[in-house]
Amino acid sequence: GITLAAPDSGSTILNIGLQSTLDAHIELNTRTVQLVNDLKFCDFAQFIGAGTVDVNGKSLTFGGQTIQFYSAITWQNATDIRFNSYVFIRAIQSFENNAQISSNGGIVDLGSGGQLYVKSGATLTLTNMKIRGFGTGSIVCQDSFLADKRSER
């Protein structure tokens, strides 16, 4: 895997511009990753640990095996995130700027205390997914506005 690290007084930003599928986890370690090109993870790989992911308007695609987010991640400029499996969100996932997540008809499970937190001035669009776990999980909009625009069938 890839682990971000820096001296306690410093910061680390990893710019990723891969041309092929990444077959390793990226451990954020409270640091920042910024995409230079589209990024596609293989089936088992993902971001782990707390930190910031600046998708930078690129496409971010996760593989076909179940993934779990156990740590808080701040997502910036995440206009094209694609999940291809069952997703467990077990920590706060914060969204800055405009963000769009598609799950290809899959399930995003907030049931273990997960939260999608939309920061002030941001827009989060969720498409093609089923959301479970509202008993213990939640979607919170800092601007106190949630628009439900489900497609009519």
Side-chain angles (χ1 to χ4, degrees):
I2 299 168
T3 301
L4 298 167
D8 290 336
S9 61
S11 64
T12 299
I13 297 176
L14 173 64
N15 293 310
I16 296 181
L18 298 175
Q19 299 296 318
S20 60
T21 301
L22 181 61
D23 64 353
H25 293 304
I26 297 176
E27 185 173 343
L28 295 171
N29 203 20
T30 70
R31 308 301 186 223
T32 299
V33 167
Q34 182 179 54
L35 301 188
V36 175
N37 294 329
D38 295 346
L39 177 62
K40 182 175 182 180
F41 283 105
C42 73
D43 280 348
F44 63 85
Q46 69 178 79
F47 295 107
I48 56 174
T52 300
V53 177
D54 183 352
V55 182
N56 200 25
K58 308 301 182 201
S59 178
L60 174 60
T61 304
F62 292 88
Q65 290 184 357
T66 299
I67 58 174
Q68 301 186 47
F69 292 102
Y70 285 104
S71 301
I73 297 177
T74 297
W75 300 89
Q76 299 173 333
N77 307 302
T79 55
D80 188 15
I81 296 176
R82 300 174 192 181
F83 293 127
N84 291 298
S85 65
Y86 199 106
V87 178
F88 288 99
I89 295 178
R90 301 178 187 276
I92 297 172
Q93 305 299 299
S94 299
F95 295 88
E96 298 178 352
N97 314 102
N98 293 327
Q100 180 166 332
I101 303 172
S102 174
S103 189
N104 292 316
I107 295 171
V108 174
D109 192 331
L110 304 173
S112 294
Q115 184 180 90
L116 302 178
Y117 185 81
V118 184
K119 294 190 174 186
S120 182
T123 300
L124 174 61
T125 303
L126 305 172
T127 61
N128 200 13
M129 69 177 63
K130 297 173 184 87
I131 301 174
R132 289 193 178 153
F134 280 115
T136 56
S138 61
I139 299 175
V140 175
C141 299
Q142 192 172 12
D143 287 340
S144 301
F145 179 73
L146 178 63
D148 184 357
K149 298 182 179 181
R150 285 181 258 192
S151 299
E152 307 246 348
R153 294 181 197 258

